[in-house]
Amino acid sequence: MSMDCNDSFECTPEMEEFLCERLLDQSEPISERFRALFSIRNLKGLRPREALVRATRDPSYLLAHEAVFALGQMQDSEAIPPLQDILKDLSLHPIVRHEAAEALGAIGSEEAVTLLKDTLIEDPILEVQETCELALRRIMEQKNVNSDDGTCTKVSPFHTIDPAIPASLDSSVDQLREVLFNEGEGIYERYAALFALRNLGDDAAVTVIIESLAVRSALLRHEVAYVLGQLQHKMAASALADILRNVDEHPMVRHEAAEALGSIADSESIELLQEFVNDPEPIVSQSCEVALCMLEFERDGKSFEFLFVEPPAGT
């Protein structure tokens, strides 16, 4: 019997405990742990939150950063203190700390503003600085949106909490392109232009997004790759493949390119993921492994998001 924690089956306490244990079990393949993580992010309460918080300190930086991302997407204010601790901990990988700043912006509490401001000024990692800038603006902009008309625009058409509110769709593709490529613009404005282009989603917009894989900011390039994964446009496959092949590219960009290629899932993309599943950079190799596993489930007509096994007897 399949166990679905979000839809037709109730997630029992036993299944919840099984998922949390599977997430934290470092002897399990990374793909199995991701399956547990993707299930847990649909749950609420103390035990799932505790498991995700513990996973943020995992030796797998890919898993740790995904656990941080999940905490932000869940918008659980109880996660703010551990997320702040992650952001302050310079011993952690920048991809994890950057994700903590983004998660604090996604939750949107002014409680995090002081730390984000301090980190923006003092942090030694540019990508973390830029993410703090993003998070601060997102908190401010979301507050303004909610107070102006009582509505909330936090959730994108792709059912994610974006790091920036998309720019107005009254802007043309050319106008959005100008902002996205302008190295003198703030990172928030450039992200807002990117998400507006994503929401337009036509060939002209996708062409601009693909071209922006060449911008200077690694943080922005990684978000561009993420957006191309959301769009699943085959036109992007060649450019994403070039990113994955480029061993001099920032690991956070290559990892997002791998995941985006898994979303596009044409034969060339799958072959490339298979080639790079043994990449010496763990963030990249594990991204390829998880992407390939997700594709196997899709080919079998199953959802990767839920574990299709019952907990062992006695758990």
Side-chain angles (χ1 to χ4, degrees):
M1 180 179 71
S2 65
M3 302 295 285
D4 184 330
C5 290
N6 189 46
D7 201 1
S8 58
F9 290 93
E10 178 184 1
C11 186
T12 65
E14 293 78 15
M15 175 53 82
E16 179 178 284
E17 186 62 25
F18 170 72
L19 293 172
C20 293
E21 289 179 357
R22 177 61 60 95
L23 170 64
L24 298 171
D25 186 349
Q26 295 179 25
S27 69
E28 288 288 338
I30 192 67
S31 56
E32 286 297 304
R33 301 178 73 195
F34 262 77
R35 294 180 66 201
L37 194 159
F38 286 2
S39 302
I40 290 169
R41 69 185 181 185
N42 293 302
L43 306 180
K44 301 287 187 183
L46 178 62
R47 183 67 179 107
R49 181 172 63 249
E50 284 181 341
L52 287 170
V53 169
R54 285 183 60 190
T56 65
R57 303 292 180 141
D58 197 84
S60 166
Y61 299 136
L62 184 71
L63 185 81
H65 114 285
E66 193 69 29
V68 174
F69 176 75
L71 289 167
Q73 294 293 298
M74 292 163 75
Q75 296 191 294
D76 186 343
S77 61
E78 295 296 325
I80 291 174
L83 289 171
Q84 289 181 312
D85 289 342
I86 293 164
L87 181 55
K88 289 185 287 187
D89 190 345
L90 295 178
S91 71
L92 296 176
H93 195 285
I95 197 173
V96 182
R97 297 180 57 244
H98 129 76
E99 206 65 63
E102 186 173 305
L104 290 167
I107 294 170
S109 171
E110 293 188 61
E111 180 182 343
V113 165
T114 299
L115 175 61
L116 289 167
K117 286 181 176 178
D118 291 344
T119 308
L120 171 61
I121 296 169
E122 300 170 1
D123 202 88
I125 305 298
L126 176 60
E127 291 77 25
V128 176
Q129 294 174 18
E130 289 181 323
T131 311
C132 289
E133 181 183 340
L134 268 174
L136 285 165
R137 278 291 302 276
R138 191 191 183 285
I139 292 170
M140 179 182 72
E141 294 293 334
Q142 193 60 53
K143 180 181 178 182
N144 290 342
V145 168
N146 291 344
S147 62
D148 285 346
D149 59 12
T151 62
C152 177
T153 60
K154 292 182 290 187
V155 179
S156 79
F158 294 83
H159 308 291
T160 51
I161 312 298
D162 292 330
I165 297 172
S168 170
L169 291 181
D170 293 335
S171 301
S172 68
V173 169
D174 286 342
Q175 289 171 321
L176 293 169
R177 184 189 190 282
E178 184 176 348
V179 174
L180 179 58
F181 279 79
N182 187 346
E183 300 287 351
E185 281 281 5
I187 193 70
Y188 186 91
E189 285 75 17
R190 299 176 78 186
Y191 262 61
L194 171 64
F195 290 125
L197 288 163
R198 178 202 64 187
N199 291 353
L200 283 171
D202 58 20
D203 286 354
V206 173
T207 297
V208 171
I209 296 171
I210 294 169
E211 291 173 353
S212 68
L213 284 168
V215 298
R216 188 181 305 160
S217 166
L219 184 74
L220 183 53
R221 292 198 305 275
H222 112 287
E223 198 69 24
V224 170
Y226 174 77
V227 162
L228 290 171
Q230 288 183 312
L231 290 168
Q232 299 180 311
H233 203 301
K234 294 189 185 301
M235 209 164 68
S238 177
L240 290 166
D242 289 343
I243 293 288
L244 180 55
R245 290 190 185 102
N246 183 4
V247 296
D248 295 324
E249 177 59 275
H250 197 298
M252 71 192 298
V253 186
R254 294 182 70 215
H255 124 74
E256 290 292 359
E259 294 192 356
L261 288 167
S263 297
I264 293 170
D266 59 14
S267 58
E268 292 84 359
S269 297
I270 294 170
E271 287 178 9
L272 194 62
L273 291 171
Q274 291 168 339
E275 178 183 345
F276 281 88
V277 77
N278 294 315
D279 193 88
E281 170 54 64
I283 292 171
V284 174
S285 62
Q286 291 177 358
S287 295
C288 294
E289 181 180 344
V290 171
L292 288 168
C293 185
M294 292 176 74
L295 287 171
E296 284 184 24
F297 274 82
E298 289 177 12
R299 279 197 292 263
D300 292 340
K302 298 178 181 178
S303 171
F304 180 81
E305 191 169 349
F306 307 114
L307 287 174
F308 283 82
V309 295
E310 295 192 61
T315 61

